[in-house]
Amino acid sequence: MQSLSNSIFHQGSRYEASAHAVPFLARIAVAGPPAAREDTMWLLTRLAVDRHDEYDLTTGINTAGWRAAAAEHSPEKELPWYEEQLAAATDEDQRTMLREIRGWVAAGNSPDARWSALRIYDAVLAELPGLLVLLDDTDARIRTRIAYLLAWFPEVAATTLPLLLARTAREDDPVVAATALVAAGLIGTAALAADLAPYLDADERLVRWAAATALVRITSHQDGAAEPRLLDRAVAELTTAADNPAPTPVTDYNEGDFHGHIERTLHSLPTVVLFTRTGSGSLSVMRTR
């Protein structure tokens, strides 16, 4: 799997073959050898969003903005520029290079990284309907991976959000449940607050943390998403979590940095949050209005 990953996703670069590989990777994820399935799900996530899952952790991925930027550099818009450059070039070596690039663009490609990355994202998006069965997989690690992947596809939230909430409601693995709750918060809307609230009373503190994280997200980026008292409960839960050692295990969000995730989440609040770090690495938090 490492060799394949290096061939189609190397240090963030995707290639023409990357999109063609996605349907085969999706089949492996669903019905491939047990040892390969989890790694395949990780590779699908990286192909789809590279490191956007960390850059956009507290806000959710902005696919609308991504699509708009990619459209500005579509092959149709890039082709006239290359034709102009080719017509004006006098050096034969330069003309040869421009001719090759112009032919590649004319064939429906763009040199813009956002455009090419979006092609891979959409290839994974097209496979999501077949991957949704993994939410009921017998392997908790696979359930975790599909819940994590769904966090970065807000355009299909109408389909996936109810499935994530249903998975959480019947889940007995706290990491899977927490991963699904944070994913729901990243793609959810103001209407999600009532569904998240009961999980603030969960026995597992990782699940309480996830519910609080999701509530802060929908509140930070959507006016009036949650009642002030509910938001205060979420902040109190995160504050308590910040002042205590991280649970074991944790989710993969923020590369597994539990306290760092709390800090980023609270910084996204539309209020002032002050932090100090203790010697043990935990956070002391004070919220002001």
Side-chain angles (χ1 to χ4, degrees):
M1 186 58 67
Q2 185 63 47
S3 178
L4 175 61
S5 178
N6 288 337
S7 297
I8 61 175
F9 178 77
H10 181 63
Q11 296 181 349
S13 297
R14 287 88 139 186
Y15 309 95
E16 187 172 351
S18 302
H20 297 291
V22 167
F24 298 97
L25 292 171
R27 294 180 199 172
I28 294 171
V30 172
R37 297 175 66 217
E38 184 178 8
D39 288 343
T40 299
M41 286 299 296
W42 260 121
L43 181 53
L44 283 170
T45 303
R46 286 288 167 257
L47 285 170
V49 294
D50 188 8
R51 292 288 175 182
H52 278 289
D53 58 332
E54 301 303 337
Y55 305 149
D56 302 325
L57 182 61
T58 59
T59 62
I61 193 168
N62 180 9
T63 52
W66 186 2
R67 291 190 186 282
E72 288 299 311
H73 297 277
S74 66
E76 294 77 13
K77 291 191 175 182
E78 291 287 330
L79 184 58
W81 186 87
Y82 281 100
E83 290 179 335
E84 291 175 4
Q85 297 301 306
L86 179 59
T90 56
D91 180 81
E92 191 55 37
D93 289 339
Q94 185 182 23
R95 287 180 59 80
T96 298
M97 179 187 69
L98 286 169
R99 195 177 294 114
E100 290 177 356
I101 298 175
R102 180 207 170 280
W104 183 71
V105 173
N109 302 286
S110 171
D112 185 78
R114 289 164 296 187
W115 185 90
S116 57
L118 187 59
R119 289 186 63 204
I120 316 302
Y121 179 87
D122 283 340
V124 178
L125 175 62
E127 296 299 324
L128 285 186
L131 292 171
L132 293 177
V133 297
L134 299 180
L135 284 167
D136 292 318
D137 198 88
T138 57
D139 188 336
R141 294 172 300 177
I142 299 299
R143 299 197 301 274
T144 299
R145 295 274 62 76
I146 183 62
Y148 187 88
L149 178 64
L150 295 179
W152 313 111
F153 289 88
E155 293 165 315
V156 290
T159 297
T160 59
L161 186 56
L163 297 176
L164 286 166
L165 293 174
R167 176 70 265 166
T168 303
R170 63 181 182 271
E171 182 57 60
D172 58 4
D173 185 297
V175 175
V176 179
T179 301
L181 282 172
V182 175
L186 286 167
I187 63 174
T189 65
L192 185 63
D195 295 300
L196 296 173
Y199 293 103
L200 291 174
D201 296 316
D203 292 334
E204 291 283 350
R205 64 189 188 100
L206 184 65
V207 173
R208 296 197 303 271
W209 161 82
T213 299
L215 278 165
V216 169
R217 187 267 164 180
I218 63 172
T219 299
S220 299
H221 303 284
Q222 300 173 36
D223 291 339
E227 295 180 3
R229 285 179 296 180
L230 186 57
L231 178 59
D232 285 343
R233 283 192 63 198
V235 171
E237 181 60 43
L238 292 179
T239 302
T240 299
D243 286 336
N244 287 279
T248 304
V250 295
T251 68
D252 291 313
Y253 294 106
N254 204 48
E255 299 183 334
D257 180 359
F258 181 76
H259 289 116
H261 194 168
I262 294 171
E263 186 170 0
R264 292 177 68 177
T265 299
L266 292 177
H267 269 305
S268 73
L269 278 166
T271 53
V272 179
V273 181
L274 304 177
F275 303 89
T276 58
R277 281 201 177 269
T278 67
S280 63
S282 63
L283 295 171
S284 177
V285 185
M286 180 175 67
R287 179 172 177 240
T288 62
R289 294 187 180 276

